[in-house]
Amino acid sequence: MKENKKGLYIKIGIILICAAIYFFVQPVKIGINQAWTMLRMLNVDVARNYILSFDIWAPIVSFLLMVFQSLIIPLPAFIITFANAGLFGWIRGAVLSWSSAMAGAALCFFIAKYYGRSVVEKLTSKFALDSIDVFFKKYGKFAILIARLLPFVSFDIVSYAAGLTSMSFWSFFWATGLGQLPATIVYSYVGDMLTGTVKTFVMGLLILFALSVLIFLIKQLWNEKNKGISKN
């Protein structure tokens, strides 16, 4: 009983400390508000200029931005990936985007493990989590890998939802790393060619990846069907 109370106090304490830092440490509050505003603009040039303004700290700021957007569902990760490619070159940009996205995914996973479903529902939504639950039940051990390949499935909600399951961290980690690699490489490769708003380009990529995953799923279903026929 005492251990449960101690754990609850620690959880509440962490939340209160984070809230206090945001509200009472002005540089942190200003920085978070600026990052939020910048990412919501969906503008690669703005993102590049923002990250570049930190000079030698630009890679670290970019890393923190990716982790930050992982925690806040509506913020678009691809803007940071595009900006990284334009600033650091597509190879180094891809490495930076991939590693920072992995850090963000791990953080979401552990938040869900530690705080549970009620807190995660506040950070995301009950409807979104219920949808991912159905997705997990349908695809089983391949759910994480498939979700990472689907650009229209929220990267961050999947990370939170995975933390609510009995899945081990390392199973989640490797599936996430492998699944997000294709999108990171493609986004990074073309990222330094982008300027201004990117909605049209992103829609094209979404269609491309959706078709790729659709082909993959059809192939999987075909193989399963053939196995069932051969057994009969």
Side-chain angles (χ1 to χ4, degrees):
M1 191 72 176
K2 289 183 178 179
E3 290 182 0
N4 290 337
K5 284 187 176 181
K6 183 179 179 181
L8 178 62
Y9 292 150
I10 293 174
K11 291 177 182 179
I12 295 174
I14 292 172
I15 294 174
L16 291 176
I17 289 171
C18 291
I21 291 173
Y22 173 77
F23 286 109
F24 298 110
V25 180
Q26 284 302 307
V28 173
K29 184 176 183 178
I30 292 171
I32 290 175
N33 290 345
Q34 287 178 342
W36 172 273
T37 301
M38 179 273 296
L39 290 171
R40 290 181 63 192
M41 293 176 70
L42 294 177
N43 191 297
V44 177
D45 289 340
V46 171
R48 284 176 183 167
N49 292 334
Y50 177 82
I51 295 172
L52 191 61
S53 69
F54 291 91
D55 199 15
I56 61 173
W57 300 102
I60 296 175
V61 170
S62 173
F63 191 99
L64 294 175
L65 279 174
M66 187 69 83
V67 174
F68 171 63
Q69 73 76 30
S70 297
L71 302 177
I72 311 298
I73 301 303
L75 299 182
F78 61 82
I79 293 295
I80 304 172
T81 303
F82 291 152
N84 286 342
L87 291 173
F88 310 113
W90 82 267
I91 295 178
R92 286 183 294 180
V95 172
L96 176 59
S97 298
W98 183 88
S99 58
S100 55
M102 291 296 291
L107 184 57
C108 292
F109 182 90
F110 284 119
I111 287 175
K113 282 286 186 191
Y114 193 62
Y115 282 98
R117 192 177 187 91
S118 59
V119 171
V120 172
E121 284 182 355
K122 291 180 174 63
L123 292 171
T124 59
S125 74
K126 186 178 186 303
F127 174 78
L129 281 180
D130 289 343
S131 299
I132 296 298
D133 287 342
V134 173
F135 187 87
F136 277 16
K137 289 178 181 178
K138 183 175 182 179
Y139 295 106
K141 62 181 181 180
F142 298 107
I144 297 295
L145 181 60
I146 294 172
R148 296 315 190 195
L149 290 170
L150 290 167
F152 46 80
V153 176
S154 171
F155 186 94
D156 308 322
I157 292 178
V158 170
S159 299
Y160 279 122
L164 299 175
T165 69
S166 59
M167 180 184 304
S168 71
F169 170 72
W170 288 112
S171 295
F172 162 79
F173 188 82
W174 291 117
T176 294
L178 182 61
Q180 74 154 333
L181 194 57
T184 302
I185 291 174
V186 172
Y187 289 172
S188 298
Y189 186 72
V190 299
D192 58 346
M193 296 183 291
L194 294 177
T195 57
T197 58
V198 295
K199 291 182 180 179
T200 302
F201 179 78
V202 170
M203 285 303 298
L205 285 178
L206 292 180
I207 294 171
L208 174 63
F209 277 102
L211 289 175
S212 300
V213 175
L214 180 61
I215 292 171
F216 170 80
L217 292 177
I218 291 173
K219 184 179 179 181
Q220 289 294 106
L221 292 172
W222 178 262
N223 290 338
E224 289 179 6
K225 183 179 179 180
N226 287 339
K227 287 180 182 179
I229 293 173
S230 62
K231 286 180 181 179
N232 294 332

